Amino acid sequence: MRESAVQRHDRLLTLVREQGTARVTDLAARLGVSPVTVRRDVETLTRKGLVDRAHGSVSWPRPRTAGAAAGVGTAPVLGLLAPSATYYFADVIHGAHEAAARAGARLILRISDYRPEEDRARAEGLLAAGAEGLLIAPGWRGRGDQAEHGDWIGELPAPAVLLERSVDPGSPLAGLDRVCSDHAHGVLLALRHLVGQGHTAPLLVARADSPTALAVRAGYDQALSALGLEWPHPVIEAPADRDPAGFERGVQALWTAVTSGRATAALVHNDVDAIQLVQRLTELGVRVPGDLAVVAYDDEVAALADTPLTAVAPPKREVGQLAAELLLERWGRSVHGRPADRAADGAEPAARRHLALLPRLRVRASCGAGAPEPLEGSRTQG
């Protein structure tokens, strides 16, 4: 895949920041492009105030405030690295932006597109652009991505807060501030509601290609145990967008479980898969909620289904808001005016925080319940 200009700018800024001053010809060799391309890039970055240029060399700018580097007076600058700016993370980003704006800060955004191998370069690009603190939602997908692509976060020269990501015990990232949704609680809300409606142990239809999907799967195990339920069926995978054949296999597995009488309820991650699953089951003669009660997980578009779907709604906007507020405090630029990296008496650094926000269950027609009243979640800290 051809490198974009933004990616090349990030690498150029990283090289200049590491070296302090670098010759254009040396940068061209390191970047694998022509000197003409580097000169053009340097002109662009100089106009933005991100580098200084003189006599065939490029230098890191003299110390200045982040706001001055970005051309916005003295406003503090926060960087946000997200795997996507749509679907789930749109609300997280909006929440962070709102909190930053209330504090008089500026938020700048980079997107990794779920390519964890590019997260580090994106974060360094944010720092090069003037960010003095980072909100980071790594683009991890599989179980091994954290170990392979995560340790660099603990080495950043600026305060960082993890967004919607848990880490393995003993990980170098375990001591970082983080704010995330408690997906295990969200799954428990869904299963407890379905069991309360008279259903036997609900089935789980879930992906395995994102941290949220993996957390939903782990939460399902915990919820079955907490409710004293036996495993009703292996987890069904039905990824509608990336594997049409796998989606159809998942549909057939669920159809068989329903028509054989082994299942009357299912929790489906995510909304899009849930909507397409219900559509396909309807074509096969399975009625929702008559034959199968369905709860979706994410609540992005669940309410727009033909039969509005009951859904677990993680507090995405609040996650972004609280993460930005925590970063501002840690950075010492909170609206309260007290540097928060010190305790109240100034004696020692303030304790790091892991904030877990509880999802809500929004009850609609797909589970056969009555009036749609959301079951509220709240915030826990631990």
Side-chain angles (χ1 to χ4, degrees):
M1 183 180 296
R2 186 176 180 180
E3 183 179 48
S4 69
V6 170
Q7 292 171 317
R8 190 174 62 251
H9 290 174
D10 286 350
R11 289 205 294 139
L12 191 156
L13 288 167
T14 298
L15 290 171
V16 175
R17 181 160 62 87
E18 290 174 349
Q19 299 178 30
T21 299
R23 295 182 59 80
V24 168
T25 52
D26 293 338
L27 289 170
R30 294 284 299 276
L31 294 171
V33 297
S34 70
V36 172
T37 297
V38 172
R39 290 189 188 98
R40 188 164 55 242
D41 290 344
V42 168
E43 288 176 4
T44 299
L45 297 172
T46 300
R47 286 195 300 270
K48 294 180 179 180
L50 300 179
V51 296
D52 291 335
R53 179 185 57 176
H55 306 299
S57 66
V58 187
S59 300
W60 196 248
R62 293 184 179 90
R64 65 185 77 179
T65 65
V72 290
T74 59
V77 179
L78 306 182
L80 196 163
L81 174 64
S84 170
T86 60
Y87 193 71
Y88 191 103
F89 275 95
D91 267 352
V92 176
I93 293 167
H94 290 155
H97 181 260
E98 291 166 357
R102 283 197 300 269
R106 178 175 175 238
L107 185 74
I108 56 178
L109 175 68
R110 299 254 169 142
I111 306 299
S112 72
D113 196 27
Y114 285 99
R115 291 195 289 265
E117 65 277 8
E118 297 184 6
D119 282 344
R120 183 170 194 160
R122 294 279 186 267
E124 290 175 343
L126 287 167
L127 293 172
E132 296 191 53
L134 297 178
L135 301 167
I136 301 178
W140 302 333
R141 281 184 175 275
R143 298 180 189 278
D145 284 346
Q146 180 188 148
E148 186 175 356
H149 301 292
D151 288 358
W152 62 270
I153 301 173
E155 302 167 0
L156 287 168
V161 177
L162 285 175
L163 280 173
E164 287 292 29
R165 297 292 184 259
S166 298
V167 301
D168 298 329
S171 162
L173 308 185
L176 290 177
D177 292 308
R178 67 176 182 257
V179 182
C180 60
S181 300
D182 187 341
H183 296 301
H185 181 80
V187 173
L188 179 61
L189 284 179
L191 266 60
R192 191 159 54 197
H193 178 72
L194 289 169
V195 171
Q197 293 291 112
H199 298 283
T200 56
L203 274 60
L204 176 64
V205 181
R207 296 165 167 254
D209 59 356
S210 74
T212 300
L214 295 176
V216 167
R217 283 171 170 252
Y220 180 68
D221 290 347
Q222 297 171 27
L224 289 177
S225 177
L227 296 172
L229 301 175
E230 297 292 332
W231 258 72
H233 190 280
V235 176
I236 295 171
E237 291 193 38
D241 58 339
R242 61 179 178 81
D243 183 3
F247 172 74
E248 186 61 26
R249 286 194 297 271
V251 169
Q252 293 298 326
L254 188 54
W255 179 85
T256 298
V258 173
T259 55
S260 67
R262 290 187 287 111
T264 60
L267 171 64
V268 184
H269 176 270
N270 55 36
D271 285 11
V272 175
D273 287 349
I275 288 174
Q276 296 193 51
L277 191 70
V278 170
Q279 291 172 349
R280 183 73 183 99
L281 287 172
T282 299
E283 294 171 357
L284 296 173
V286 172
R287 300 166 300 149
V288 173
D291 301 315
L292 180 72
V294 173
V295 176
Y297 200 102
D298 276 352
D299 201 33
E300 287 289 320
V301 292
L304 305 180
D306 289 350
T307 300
L309 301 178
T310 294
V312 176
K316 300 175 282 281
R317 189 175 294 258
E318 292 95 327
V319 165
Q321 290 171 345
L322 284 168
E325 291 169 3
L326 177 54
L327 181 59
L328 283 162
E329 290 180 13
R330 188 65 67 189
W331 187 41
R333 296 294 297 268
S334 75
V335 293
H336 304 296
R338 177 176 63 82
D341 59 350
R342 308 296 294 174
D345 59 4
E348 59 179 296
R352 299 288 177 177
R353 279 169 278 178
H354 295 168
L355 301 179
L357 309 191
L358 303 187
R360 301 172 176 87
L361 181 68
R362 295 188 173 133
V363 179
R364 303 186 181 103
S366 67
C367 58
E373 293 294 333
L375 303 181
E376 295 295 324
S378 60
R379 174 174 57 171
T380 64
Q381 183 170 339

